[in-house]
Amino acid sequence: MNLGELINLPKILDPRGNLTVAEQLRQVPFAISRVYWTYDVPSGEHRGGHAHRHCREFIVAASGSFNVTLDNTIEKRTFLLNHPYQGLLVETGVWRTLEDFSSGAVCLVLAEDLYDESDYIREYDEYVNYLRANL
Protein backbone atom coordinates (compact mmCIF):
# COMPACT_ATOMS: atom_id res chain seq x y z
CA MET A 1 0.00 0.00 0.00
CA ASN A 2 1.39 3.36 -1.05
CA LEU A 3 1.62 5.77 1.89
CA GLY A 4 1.77 9.04 0.02
CA GLU A 5 3.67 11.00 -2.56
CA LEU A 6 5.12 14.50 -2.65
CA ILE A 7 4.11 16.24 -5.87
CA ASN A 8 5.77 19.41 -7.11
CA LEU A 9 3.31 21.95 -8.45
CA PRO A 10 4.03 24.52 -11.15
CA LYS A 11 5.83 27.53 -9.70
CA ILE A 12 5.49 30.66 -11.80
CA LEU A 13 8.10 33.20 -10.74
CA ASP A 14 7.18 36.85 -10.98
CA PRO A 15 8.84 39.86 -9.35
CA ARG A 16 5.37 40.96 -8.20
CA GLY A 17 4.90 37.66 -6.33
CA ASN A 18 4.97 34.00 -7.26
CA LEU A 19 2.00 31.91 -8.33
CA THR A 20 1.32 28.19 -7.97
CA VAL A 21 -1.59 26.26 -9.43
CA ALA A 22 -3.09 22.85 -8.64
CA GLU A 23 -5.63 21.52 -11.12
CA GLN A 24 -7.86 18.52 -10.62
CA LEU A 25 -6.97 15.50 -12.75
CA ARG A 26 -3.66 17.16 -13.65
CA GLN A 27 -1.36 17.81 -10.72
CA VAL A 28 -4.02 16.52 -8.31
CA PRO A 29 -4.93 13.01 -9.53
CA PHE A 30 -8.62 13.20 -8.61
CA ALA A 31 -11.65 15.45 -9.00
CA ILE A 32 -11.73 17.94 -6.12
CA SER A 33 -15.04 17.97 -4.21
CA ARG A 34 -14.03 19.88 -1.09
CA VAL A 35 -11.39 22.38 -0.01
CA TYR A 36 -10.63 23.23 3.60
CA TRP A 37 -7.78 24.72 5.59
CA THR A 38 -6.57 24.78 9.17
CA TYR A 39 -4.73 27.69 10.75
CA ASP A 40 -3.94 29.20 14.15
CA VAL A 41 -2.97 25.74 15.42
CA PRO A 42 -1.63 26.29 18.97
CA SER A 43 1.97 25.32 19.67
CA GLY A 44 2.26 21.64 20.56
CA GLU A 45 -1.15 20.69 19.16
CA HIS A 46 -1.72 18.22 16.33
CA ARG A 47 -4.41 17.74 13.70
CA GLY A 48 -5.55 14.70 11.75
CA GLY A 49 -5.31 11.53 13.77
CA HIS A 50 -7.57 9.58 11.44
CA ALA A 51 -7.80 7.67 8.16
CA HIS A 52 -10.37 7.68 5.37
CA ARG A 53 -12.04 4.62 3.89
CA HIS A 54 -12.44 6.27 0.47
CA CYS A 55 -11.41 9.92 0.34
CA ARG A 56 -7.97 10.83 -0.99
CA GLU A 57 -6.48 14.16 0.03
CA PHE A 58 -3.84 16.52 -1.29
CA ILE A 59 -2.20 18.53 1.52
CA VAL A 60 -0.31 21.78 0.96
CA ALA A 61 1.51 24.05 3.40
CA ALA A 62 0.04 27.25 1.96
CA SER A 63 2.05 29.18 4.54
CA GLY A 64 4.61 28.15 7.14
CA SER A 65 5.47 24.54 7.81
CA PHE A 66 4.30 21.37 9.53
CA ASN A 67 5.00 17.63 9.54
CA VAL A 68 2.62 15.02 8.18
CA THR A 69 3.19 11.48 9.42
CA LEU A 70 1.60 8.75 7.32
CA ASP A 71 1.18 5.23 8.69
CA ASN A 72 -0.25 2.05 7.19
CA THR A 73 0.74 -0.18 10.18
CA ILE A 74 3.62 -1.66 8.14
CA GLU A 75 5.44 1.53 7.24
CA LYS A 76 5.48 4.97 8.84
CA ARG A 77 6.92 8.03 7.11
CA THR A 78 7.06 11.71 8.06
CA PHE A 79 6.99 14.45 5.42
CA LEU A 80 7.99 18.03 6.14
CA LEU A 81 5.66 20.34 4.22
CA ASN A 82 7.19 23.81 3.95
CA HIS A 83 6.83 24.87 0.31
CA PRO A 84 3.55 26.25 -1.08
CA TYR A 85 4.49 24.78 -4.48
CA GLN A 86 4.51 21.21 -3.20
CA GLY A 87 1.67 18.97 -2.09
CA LEU A 88 1.39 15.60 -0.40
CA LEU A 89 -1.00 13.09 -1.94
CA VAL A 90 -2.47 10.93 0.83
CA GLU A 91 -4.03 7.73 -0.44
CA THR A 92 -7.15 6.00 0.85
CA GLY A 93 -6.74 3.92 3.98
CA VAL A 94 -3.68 5.72 5.36
CA TRP A 95 -3.55 7.05 8.92
CA ARG A 96 -2.36 10.66 9.05
CA THR A 97 -1.21 12.98 11.83
CA LEU A 98 -0.19 16.61 11.32
CA GLU A 99 2.04 18.25 13.93
CA ASP A 100 4.87 20.68 14.62
CA PHE A 101 3.04 23.62 13.06
CA SER A 102 5.13 26.77 12.70
CA SER A 103 3.68 30.09 13.78
CA GLY A 104 1.32 31.32 11.08
CA ALA A 105 1.14 27.95 9.29
CA VAL A 106 -1.83 27.34 7.00
CA CYS A 107 -2.63 23.75 5.99
CA LEU A 108 -4.68 23.65 2.77
CA VAL A 109 -6.41 20.36 1.90
CA LEU A 110 -7.98 19.43 -1.44
CA ALA A 111 -10.28 16.47 -0.84
CA GLU A 112 -11.70 13.98 -3.32
CA ASP A 113 -15.04 13.62 -1.52
CA LEU A 114 -17.57 15.80 0.21
CA TYR A 115 -17.56 15.55 4.00
CA ASP A 116 -18.98 12.22 5.17
CA GLU A 117 -18.44 11.27 8.80
CA SER A 118 -18.90 7.56 7.96
CA ASP A 119 -15.73 7.74 5.78
CA TYR A 120 -13.57 8.54 8.82
CA ILE A 121 -11.78 6.02 11.02
CA ARG A 122 -10.91 7.98 14.16
CA GLU A 123 -9.56 5.29 16.49
CA TYR A 124 -6.22 3.66 15.69
CA ASP A 125 -7.29 0.20 16.94
CA GLU A 126 -10.34 0.37 14.68
CA TYR A 127 -8.01 1.39 11.82
CA VAL A 128 -5.78 -1.67 12.38
CA ASN A 129 -8.85 -3.95 12.36
CA TYR A 130 -10.15 -2.22 9.21
CA LEU A 131 -6.87 -2.88 7.40
CA ARG A 132 -6.80 -6.53 8.48
CA ALA A 133 -10.33 -7.03 7.19
CA ASN A 134 -9.72 -5.24 3.88
CA LEU A 135 -6.30 -6.44 2.74
Side-chain angles (χ1 to χ4, degrees):
M1 170 189 296
N2 183 13
L3 279 177
E5 173 186 1
L6 277 177
I7 297 174
N8 287 316
L9 301 168
K11 182 178 178 183
I12 300 146
L13 302 175
D14 188 304
R16 301 168 298 162
N18 299 332
L19 174 87
T20 291
V21 64
E23 295 177 317
Q24 65 182 2
L25 305 175
R26 288 195 175 173
Q27 296 86 12
V28 179
F30 53 78
I32 299 165
S33 295
R34 177 171 50 119
V35 176
Y36 64 92
W37 50 98
T38 58
Y39 52 93
D40 295 340
V41 178
S43 178
E45 288 297 324
H46 70 277
R47 300 289 309 199
H50 63 267
H52 289 282
R53 290 177 173 85
H54 180 267
C55 184
R56 291 180 290 173
E57 294 183 329
F58 191 79
I59 304 173
V60 177
S63 181
S65 66
F66 50 89
N67 287 323
V68 180
T69 300
L70 302 180
D71 176 2
N72 65 7
T73 73
I74 297 167
E75 179 183 2
K76 186 184 277 191
R77 187 167 171 205
T78 298
F79 297 85
L80 171 63
L81 295 185
N82 63 351
H83 300 297
Y85 55 84
Q86 196 171 57
L88 178 62
L89 174 64
V90 181
E91 293 291 343
T92 297
V94 174
W95 190 266
R96 82 280 323 271
T97 306
L98 291 73
E99 54 199 354
D100 299 326
F101 286 83
S102 69
S103 178
V106 177
C107 172
L108 174 69
V109 180
L110 311 177
E112 181 174 25
D113 297 334
L114 297 174
Y115 177 78
D116 178 2
E117 181 59 34
S118 69
D119 186 52
Y120 285 76
I121 305 170
R122 296 192 185 271
E123 297 296 328
Y124 193 80
D125 290 342
E126 181 185 343
Y127 171 67
V128 171
N129 291 335
Y130 170 80
L131 286 184
R132 286 184 185 142
N134 290 286
L135 290 179

